[in-house]
Amino acid sequence: MKILLASLCVISLLVILPSVFSASSSSEDFDFFYFVQQWPGSYCDTQKKCCYPTTGKPAADFGIHGLWPNYKDGTYPSNCDETKPFDKSTISDLITSMKKSWPTLACPSGSGEAFWEHEWEKHGTCSESVIDQHEYFQTALNLKQKTNLLGALTKAGINPDGKSYSLESIRDSIKESIGFTPWVECNRDGSGNSQLYQVYLCVDRSGSGLIECPVFPHGKCGAEIEFPSF
Ligand code: 5GP
Ligand code: 5GP
């Protein structure tokens, strides 16, 4: 009887322990996402220049850059799974929306696939414990739909007209309209002026909703920044 009980204990430990460990390791994969959108005018007017996608000039709107898993301490995982390459066939139903909402501006001109592939392989593969490849791209598209950055800014009189606006007014108008404090990243135009380049919003681990950012990236804009046209 004792031997039977002991072996039952050993068997149940063997069954339970691996699932406990795998659960805890996957919940530590990352803590939240940055959802990053880029202003095309600011990608294009730097010294590096840009190239429009093969499908033509994108809309004068913020475009998706990526959905990036992150840790609360500010570090982040990258290139997490070489066995899951970008597979266009898994997202064929999303391609039309991706061309619109996630256009590439890098040179030489491309369809966007190289950009999406890079984002999936560097960042998307690190969210596989929560969402698969189709869900990863679908989640980013849904977030873009839900967060009308340009609408938030123009409602506050902040327009892409090459003028300068206070960083505070940009942050406040997004917070006011979207409900969460964004992080604003700047780059420099061809003459060296600081300008509104990317806007970061934070998203919970499941990708279902915006949250206040547990930590902001580093970097600084000026107090007044340009909002170039596109
Ligand atoms: P940069 O050095 O231009 O800010 O960033 C280069 C790239 O590093 C980004 O496009 C992104 O792929 C990655 N990266 C930069 N900062 C972060 C971050 O805070 N979190 C994550 N997940 N990736 C980042
Ligand atoms: P990350 O900075 O996310 O690590 O890398 C961005 C990569 O995607 C770079 O290799 C960049 O050349 C490419 N890329 C292609 N299209 C775009 C675009 O429209 N914006 C940005 N930021 N990178 C792009």
Side-chain angles (χ1 to χ4, degrees):
M1 189 60 186
K2 266 189 188 155
I3 291 172
L4 184 63
L5 271 177
S7 43
L8 270 177
C9 278
V10 169
I11 288 166
S12 43
L13 274 179
L14 284 176
V15 170
I16 291 165
L17 275 182
S19 63
V20 167
F21 277 117
S22 70
S24 70
S25 76
S26 67
S27 66
E28 279 165 19
D29 277 346
F30 66 102
D31 297 320
F32 69 97
F33 290 101
Y34 283 127
F35 176 54
V36 185
Q37 298 179 62
Q38 63 180 1
W39 177 249
S42 303
Y43 187 92
C44 287
D45 73 355
T46 67
Q47 277 177 353
K48 249 177 76 185
K49 298 283 187 313
C50 71
C51 292
Y52 296 155
T54 44
T55 41
K57 184 179 177 178
D61 189 10
F62 284 86
I64 301 171
H65 179 161
L67 183 62
W68 303 344
N70 240 75
Y71 299 116
K72 278 189 198 144
D73 68 2
T75 65
Y76 58 90
S78 60
N79 300 99
C80 296
D81 188 358
E82 281 176 13
T83 70
K84 289 279 165 53
F86 177 69
D87 179 0
K88 197 182 160 194
S89 70
T90 65
I91 55 162
S92 50
D93 59 321
L94 305 178
I95 296 291
T96 307
S97 305
M98 307 249 302
K99 285 184 176 156
K100 253 177 53 199
S101 300
W102 203 326
T104 181
L105 291 164
C107 296
S109 289
S111 63
E113 264 173 59
F115 189 23
W116 308 330
E117 176 176 33
H118 170 88
E119 292 299 313
W120 165 255
E121 287 172 1
K122 180 169 180 181
H123 300 286
T125 54
C126 301
S127 62
E128 278 180 320
S129 57
V130 184
I131 46 179
D132 64 21
Q133 191 165 155
H134 186 274
E135 286 163 339
Y136 177 77
F137 288 105
Q138 180 79 69
T139 298
L141 290 170
N142 292 348
L143 288 164
K144 170 80 180 75
Q145 279 275 317
K146 282 198 277 191
T147 55
N148 182 358
L149 291 180
L150 189 60
L153 293 167
T154 55
K155 209 161 69 185
I158 299 169
N159 299 299
D161 52 10
K163 294 199 181 121
S164 282
Y165 296 92
S166 78
L167 178 60
E168 200 183 354
S169 68
I170 290 173
R171 272 203 209 113
D172 287 352
S173 66
I174 293 172
K175 161 104 195 191
E176 169 78 22
S177 168
I178 288 168
F180 297 89
T181 311
W183 175 255
V184 175
E185 181 186 349
C186 293
N187 68 357
R188 293 191 180 276
D189 71 10
S191 324
N193 302 310
S194 181
Q195 59 180 0
L196 172 56
Y197 171 42
Q198 303 201 107
V199 176
Y200 293 58
L201 291 163
C202 290
V203 178
D204 68 84
R205 247 183 74 81
S206 68
S208 54
L210 297 175
I211 56 170
E212 282 297 342
C213 287
V215 59
F216 284 121
H218 297 294
K220 250 189 143 174
C221 299
E224 299 279 322
I225 61 176
E226 204 181 302
F227 191 10
S229 62
F230 179 64

